[in-house]
Amino acid sequence: MANKIEGFNFEQRHGKDRVRVARVWKNKEGRHFMVEWSVSISLLSDCLPAYVSDDNSDIVATDTMKNTVYVKAKECAEQLSVEAFSIELAKHFTSYYKQVTTAIVKIVEKPWERVNVDGHPHEHGFKLGSEKHTAEAVVKKSGALQLTSGIEGLALLKTTKSGFEGFIRDEYTTLPETQERMLATEVTAVLRYSYESLSSIPQNPHYFTERYLEVKKILVDTFFGPTKEGVYSPSVQSTLYQMARAVLSRIPDMSSVQLKMPNLHFLPVNISTKDTQIVKFDDDVYLPTSEPHGTIEASLSRFWSKM
């Protein structure tokens, strides 16, 4: 919130960060479903007296925010998406407290996945996966909505069908050009939905989970290409664009995609002494490195997007 105080512009917000909650649902057949969320809440509210007059009467305590997460999780009798829960929380704070004008709720979902035992899904057994599902809902008292979904830590690697040629060469360039290299990255995606109000979002509580899984499949399929022949990547930049374009082409209610794809290098290994070559590289022995690594990121949005 922006206010003028004694000739200054003053902006403030307050909230609760990293509220961890796990929720288990059980269906009639005895199968368990579970999620683990880390919830961050930020409220924009009319509580200026707390800062300038020692008057806390308009403050929503951050401990109350924490407890609200657990109460609202309990009230969700049916399994729902991380996006739907972030909207529910944000809607609560803007409707329940008259002084709260905007609520920003960001949630990171830990990737617990059902395990298979002897080829069958376990009724109540889970293992920790890799990439995380994120969501952020910004809800105003008017009902206006900004909703983003995300993926963190989607690790992808292919051992061939990648090259890098034709880049600028000068006196500082040592990198050889190649049509054959390993390509590895860890994708971070931020996906903006086109819904602008609470009344416009789909009522299916699983809708955004389905879209998240669909987006993840599109990103993975575009990166790798067909199972046998794959698809050639002339650069991380080119692959990133094709991945973002595929998402917007297939998900009509998504207005923009932002992708961050570090180039995690696998360096060819050749070892030789003065007289003998001990290891000759033949696209088979690499040195994996994490630092330094290339950073490539870009966003793609529809013309009407407000991103």
Side-chain angles (χ1 to χ4, degrees), residues 84-239:
F85 189 63
S86 65
I87 291 172
E88 279 298 311
L89 278 176
K91 186 168 61 173
H92 166 81
F93 288 114
T94 54
S95 61
Y96 193 79
Y97 300 101
K98 67 180 188 302
Q99 64 270 44
V100 174
T101 58
T102 302
I104 304 168
V105 177
K106 182 173 182 180
I107 304 178
V108 178
E109 181 173 297
K110 207 165 184 178
W112 290 107
E113 302 170 350
R114 190 176 302 278
V115 299
N116 286 282
V117 177
D118 295 330
H120 301 285
H122 201 280
E123 292 295 293
H124 53 265
F126 299 84
K127 66 180 180 64
L128 195 60
S130 53
E131 67 278 354
K132 297 176 181 178
H133 182 180
T134 66
E136 181 180 87
V138 180
V139 175
K140 296 182 180 296
K141 192 174 287 291
S142 64
L145 170 70
Q146 290 181 359
L147 180 64
T148 58
S149 181
I151 302 172
E152 292 182 357
L154 177 60
L156 304 175
L157 179 151
K158 57 183 182 181
T159 55
T160 188
K161 292 286 185 175
S162 174
F164 190 49
E165 303 175 278
F167 50 88
I168 294 174
R169 304 200 70 88
D170 55 35
E171 63 270 30
Y172 302 117
T173 304
T174 59
L175 182 70
E177 298 189 3
T178 182
Q179 295 182 343
E180 177 60 48
R181 67 173 182 172
M182 191 179 292
L183 179 60
T185 189
E186 192 171 276
V187 180
T188 299
V190 178
L191 314 153
R192 172 70 62 85
Y193 282 96
S194 57
Y195 305 109
E196 296 184 349
S197 67
L198 292 173
S199 60
S200 65
I201 60 174
Q203 295 306 302
N204 177 0
H206 305 291
Y207 178 83
F208 293 110
T209 298
E210 293 168 358
R211 293 291 77 72
Y212 167 79
L213 295 174
E214 185 177 359
V215 167
K216 188 165 68 168
K217 184 177 187 305
I218 291 170
L219 293 174
V220 170
D221 290 354
T222 306
F223 180 88
F224 290 111
T227 54
K228 292 293 185 182
E229 62 271 23
V231 61
Y232 184 72
S233 171
S235 65
V236 178
Q237 286 86 344
S238 174
T239 298

Side-chain angles (χ1 to χ4, degrees), residues 185 236-238 240 259-263 293-298:
T185 189
V236 178
Q237 286 86 344
S238 174
L240 181 153
L259 295 179
K260 181 184 292 185
M261 293 175 54
N263 189 4
H293 63 250
T295 60
I296 297 94
E297 55 185 294

Side-chain angles (χ1 to χ4, degrees), residues 283-298:
D283 304 327
D284 53 0
V285 179
Y286 298 83
L287 171 64
T289 65
S290 58
E291 297 177 0
H293 63 250
T295 60
I296 297 94
E297 55 185 294

